[in-house]
Amino acid sequence: MKVKYWSFNLPFKYPFTISKGTKMHQPTFVVELSLGSFTGYGEAPAISYYNIPVEKMIADLESKKPFVEKFALTDPSRYWHYLHHLFPQNPFLVCALDIAAWDLWGKMKGQPLYQMWNTSPGTSPLTDYTIGIGTIENMVAKMKEKPWPVYKIKLGTAEDIAIMEALRQHTTAVFRVDANAGWTTEEALEKIPLLEKLGVELVEQPLAKDNWEGMKILFEKSSLPLLADESCVFEQDVETCFKHFHGINIKLTKCSGITPARRMITKARELNMKVMVGSMNESTIGSAAIAHLMPEVDYADADGPLLLSEDLATGLIYNYGKVEILPSPGLGITTTF
């Protein structure tokens, strides 16, 4: 195999604000794996609070590039294990390479990934559309500009309930709330019943990622499903979240790719937990990998290309919550850079 890579800094349509801060651009790393006439692409956005910038992905890849290229690709899952041991401290880089390997493998086999996994995009849940934190007027305006059946609302402010009340006046859509670890246990206990009355479907990561004692209390008392995000990064975290959360949000970049994500889905199902597959503001490249997993989950947050004003590929069609995948081999995408 041969490997190439690119670095991009994709601008957001609007400033993207969560409880941890504001971003104007999404730095992202794209990798290409080629074998003969076949090429596969993968992506890993850099998220500042995980301390793996694009520069580190590039440096790590360069340091072991010959080893990345010399693997005989007979199965993407085996390649992931090889990469996992090659880059034990860089799950983001492993993710990009793993997605590229699956895309390459699908093209070599002449099948879309969902077909290789015996699933159908027709059974996929709708994706939500994210409204970042802003003034109430600003958040209402962004929602009204994008009519959508399901919204994910970023919270973690003193105005959380006022925000949700204002948004509810303008739509009957389903709401999901993502606090991004921004609440105390007491705040969550106070806010969740009010959010339920406002038609909220679920709450994502209400407390700090290591506040297991608080989550145990919330799990027992919450009238809404609670999904782990920052508390569920790697495979081993699924079992830790059991009986603290009702479900998990799997992010490909955090968990290190499609291969472990599929195992996490299986484990969560064994524990009778709900599963969301989530976005880290990927372009269409990474979002296509998410879309192929969507038939296997309960909730989807795959709106990265909708939040960005520049994209890196075509092949996904967003139709009022539905994410349609082209029935082409691998990820089903065509790069545009």
Side-chain angles (χ1 to χ4, degrees), residues 114-336:
Y114 66 80
Q115 195 174 66
M116 295 174 69
W117 301 333
N118 296 312
T119 63
S120 167
T123 63
S124 294
L126 300 178
T127 181
D128 55 40
Y129 177 77
T130 303
I131 306 291
I133 293 172
T135 65
I136 290 177
E137 294 76 15
N138 176 262
M139 293 175 77
V140 168
K142 280 196 279 189
M143 187 188 72
K144 290 173 77 173
E145 188 181 297
K146 190 75 174 179
W148 212 250
V150 188
Y151 293 102
K152 177 191 273 198
I153 315 299
K154 296 285 189 177
L155 296 182
T157 77
E159 290 190 300
D160 284 349
I161 300 305
I163 288 169
M164 297 305 295
E165 287 174 340
L167 292 174
R168 180 48 78 206
Q169 290 176 23
H170 298 277
T171 183
T172 58
V174 173
F175 284 154
R176 295 169 184 164
V177 159
D178 185 359
N180 278 114
W183 296 339
T184 64
T185 308
E186 293 71 28
E187 283 177 311
L189 287 168
E190 183 182 318
K191 290 178 179 181
I192 286 171
L194 301 174
L195 294 172
E196 184 186 20
K197 289 179 182 174
L198 290 165
V200 170
E201 179 183 38
L202 59 85
V203 176
E204 198 178 327
Q205 197 65 42
L207 310 182
K209 63 182 179 181
D210 53 358
N211 187 356
W212 295 104
E213 191 176 321
M215 280 309 309
K216 188 73 173 171
I217 294 167
L218 272 194
F219 178 79
E220 291 168 357
K221 296 190 175 183
S222 177
S223 55
L224 292 176
L226 308 173
L227 269 65
D229 182 357
E230 286 87 344
S231 294
C232 189
V233 177
F234 301 114
E235 289 178 70
Q236 61 268 28
D237 297 332
V238 179
E239 203 144 8
T240 308
C241 289
F242 183 54
K243 293 193 174 175
H244 291 84
F245 293 88
H246 302 92
I248 59 170
N249 183 358
I250 299 171
K251 304 278 186 71
L252 299 188
T253 304
K254 289 191 311 185
C255 76
S256 73
I258 289 171
T259 300
R262 295 185 72 221
R263 293 197 296 263
M264 291 171 77
I265 293 170
T266 299
K267 185 63 183 177
R269 295 304 188 203
E270 289 172 2
L271 297 171
N272 200 27
M273 296 175 78
K274 294 289 189 181
V275 182
M276 173 187 277
V277 63
S279 168
M280 293 179 82
N281 306 318
E282 289 91 342
S283 75
T284 285
I285 298 171
S287 298
I290 296 167
H292 281 272
L293 290 169
M294 282 171 53
E296 303 177 51
V297 304
D298 303 292
Y299 313 109
D301 173 37
D303 62 346
L306 302 178
L307 303 176
L308 299 166
S309 60
E310 290 179 17
D311 205 348
L312 300 175
T314 58
L316 291 183
I317 300 164
Y318 287 83
N319 179 15
Y320 194 62
K322 291 182 182 177
V323 184
E324 299 170 16
I325 311 171
L326 297 180
S328 305
L331 291 174
I333 60 163
T334 302
T335 56
T336 55

Side-chain angles (χ1 to χ4, degrees), residues 21-147:
T22 300
K23 294 193 294 188
M24 304 298 290
H25 293 79
Q26 178 58 63
T28 196
F29 174 77
V30 173
V31 65
E32 173 195 280
L33 288 175
S34 60
L35 189 57
S37 61
F38 298 101
T39 54
Y41 293 90
E43 179 183 12
I47 306 298
S48 59
Y49 49 89
Y50 286 100
N51 300 312
I52 304 180
V54 168
E55 293 76 14
K56 178 166 175 53
M57 295 186 233
I58 291 171
D60 284 358
L61 177 56
E62 280 290 351
S63 71
K64 295 180 178 175
K65 193 175 176 184
F67 298 98
V68 171
E69 293 182 325
K70 78 173 190 179
F71 189 87
L73 186 64
T74 56
D75 174 17
S77 299
R78 286 187 61 226
Y79 191 41
W80 177 87
H81 278 284
Y82 176 76
L83 295 168
H84 177 64
H85 291 291
L86 201 58
F87 303 109
Q89 302 302 317
N90 200 329
F92 286 38
L93 173 58
V94 174
C95 170
L97 289 165
D98 180 68
I99 293 173
W102 276 105
D103 187 28
L104 176 60
W105 186 248
K107 287 171 178 171
M108 290 166 66
K109 296 293 181 183
Q111 290 183 306
L113 297 187
Y114 66 80
Q115 195 174 66
M116 295 174 69
W117 301 333
N118 296 312
T119 63
S120 167
T123 63
S124 294
L126 300 178
T127 181
D128 55 40
Y129 177 77
T130 303
I131 306 291
I133 293 172
T135 65
I136 290 177
E137 294 76 15
N138 176 262
M139 293 175 77
V140 168
K142 280 196 279 189
M143 187 188 72
K144 290 173 77 173
E145 188 181 297
K146 190 75 174 179

